[in-house]
Amino acid sequence: MANITLVDDDENIVASVSLALESHGHKVVAYHDGATGLEALESSPPDLAILDVKMPRMDGMEVLRRLRQTSQIPVIMLTSKDEEIDEILGFNLGADDYIHKPFSQRLLIERVKALLRRSGGDGGEPEPSAETSGKAIRRGKLVMDPARHESTWDGKAVKLTVTEFLLLQALAQRPGFVKSRDNLMDAAYDDQVYVDDRTIDSHVKRMRKKFRVVDPEFDAIETLYGVGYRYRES
C-alpha cells in the first residue's frame, strides 16, 4: 500500500515493526543509524518515515531537522524517553506524530494508517473536507489545493507538512471564525490520536515561520489567548 522508511538502531524493533507493516501490505526499508537513514530519505523519498529519536551517527531529531529543509513527507517519531520536552521539540521540528516505547504493533499500524490517509500516501487522494470537497481555497493572498496538498502565498509556494496543511485548511475554510485547539485537533488528527494544546501551538508557530519566509509581514493567523486561533483574511 505504501513505501515506508524505518530508521532505528534496535534490531528487535526493526524486525517486529517491519513484519507488522509488511503484513498490512506496506513495503518497508530499514536503516540502523541516522546518517544512513537521512541519505536514503533524501535520495528516495518514501510515502512515510518512522524515526527513532536516539540513534548512533545522527539522532532522530537532527535527521528530522535536516529532512524538513527539503521534504515534507509524513514523519512519525519513536522515543523511549518519557520527557515531554522531547515530544514538543519533535513537533516544533515538523514531526506529524509521536509514539512512546514500548508500544503495541496495533497502535503503530493505526497511527500509520491514519497519517497515510490524511496525506494520500495510501494510494488515494488526501481526504478533502466536507466544506471544500477538494476544491481550491482562496483567501486573499492564500491559495490552498487540498487535492495536491499544495499551498501558496502571493504566488509563492509554502511547503507544509500534512498536519500543518490540515490545520491551516481548517482555519481558512471560515475566515474570522475562531477555532479552539480542540477543533483544530479534530481537523488534523484521527479520532484515535490525542495530542495536547501545546502540540497544536507548536504546529501553528512553525507554520507562521514558513509563511514569514516568503512574507515577513504575514499575520493572517491570529491568536486569541485562552480561546484558540482564527484566520484573518486581508
Side-chain angles (χ1 to χ4, degrees):
M1 293 175 62
N3 294 314
I4 297 175
T5 295
L6 169 63
V7 190
D8 195 310
D9 64 325
D10 187 319
E11 293 185 3
N12 291 328
I13 289 180
V14 168
S16 61
V17 168
S18 297
L19 181 61
L21 291 171
E22 289 169 351
S23 70
H24 282 74
H26 302 300
K27 179 180 179 181
V28 181
V29 179
Y31 300 91
H32 298 281
D33 68 83
T36 304
L38 176 62
E39 183 178 350
L41 288 166
E42 291 179 328
S43 61
S44 301
D47 298 308
L48 181 145
I50 301 174
L51 307 177
D52 185 27
V53 170
K54 189 176 181 180
M55 292 186 291
R57 296 190 63 208
M58 185 183 297
D59 66 28
M61 294 297 187
E62 181 63 14
V63 173
L64 178 61
R65 186 188 71 79
R66 296 193 187 190
L67 181 65
R68 283 294 179 243
Q69 294 175 2
T70 59
S71 174
Q72 304 305 318
I73 63 172
V75 173
I76 295 175
M77 302 295 293
L78 303 179
T79 181
S80 56
K81 299 178 181 179
D82 196 26
E83 296 179 12
E84 194 173 63
I85 187 65
D86 294 313
E87 187 169 340
I88 297 301
L89 176 59
F91 283 124
N92 280 333
L93 290 173
D96 292 285
D97 204 350
Y98 229 95
I99 298 178
H100 294 280
K101 299 177 183 178
F103 54 86
S104 70
Q105 301 302 333
R106 181 177 180 181
L107 171 65
L108 176 65
I109 293 298
E110 289 302 318
R111 295 289 184 89
V112 167
K113 184 190 301 183
L115 189 49
L116 287 171
R117 184 168 59 247
R118 286 154 49 200
S119 67
D122 56 357
E125 294 293 333
E127 287 190 336
S129 70
E131 294 184 51
T132 64
S133 299
K135 296 180 180 178
I137 301 171
R138 299 178 186 274
R139 299 288 185 265
K141 296 180 180 180
L142 174 68
V143 178
M144 302 185 72
D145 185 344
R148 293 182 174 84
H149 253 261
E150 296 176 348
S151 59
T152 61
W153 180 264
D154 201 16
K156 300 174 183 176
V158 180
K159 294 183 178 181
L160 302 175
T161 65
V162 173
T163 304
E164 291 164 355
F165 189 95
L166 293 173
L167 289 173
L168 181 58
Q169 180 177 265
L171 291 168
Q173 283 171 355
R174 303 190 71 186
F177 284 79
V178 178
K179 291 281 188 177
S180 69
R181 289 170 177 81
D182 286 342
N183 295 151
L184 294 174
M185 198 181 304
D186 291 341
Y189 286 90
D190 188 88
D191 290 342
Q192 296 174 326
V193 178
Y194 172 78
V195 296
D196 63 26
D197 290 351
R198 280 173 291 185
T199 298
I200 299 298
D201 295 340
S202 295
H203 285 306
V204 172
K205 181 180 178 181
R206 180 175 172 82
M207 190 162 46
R208 282 179 173 143
K209 286 182 178 179
K210 290 183 176 182
F211 277 93
R212 285 171 182 162
V213 169
V214 300
D215 181 0
E217 303 300 319
F218 175 83
D219 62 354
I221 302 175
E222 184 179 6
T223 301
L224 285 83
Y225 292 98
V227 181
Y229 298 93
R230 68 182 171 194
Y231 185 85
R232 182 170 56 194
E233 187 174 4
S234 57

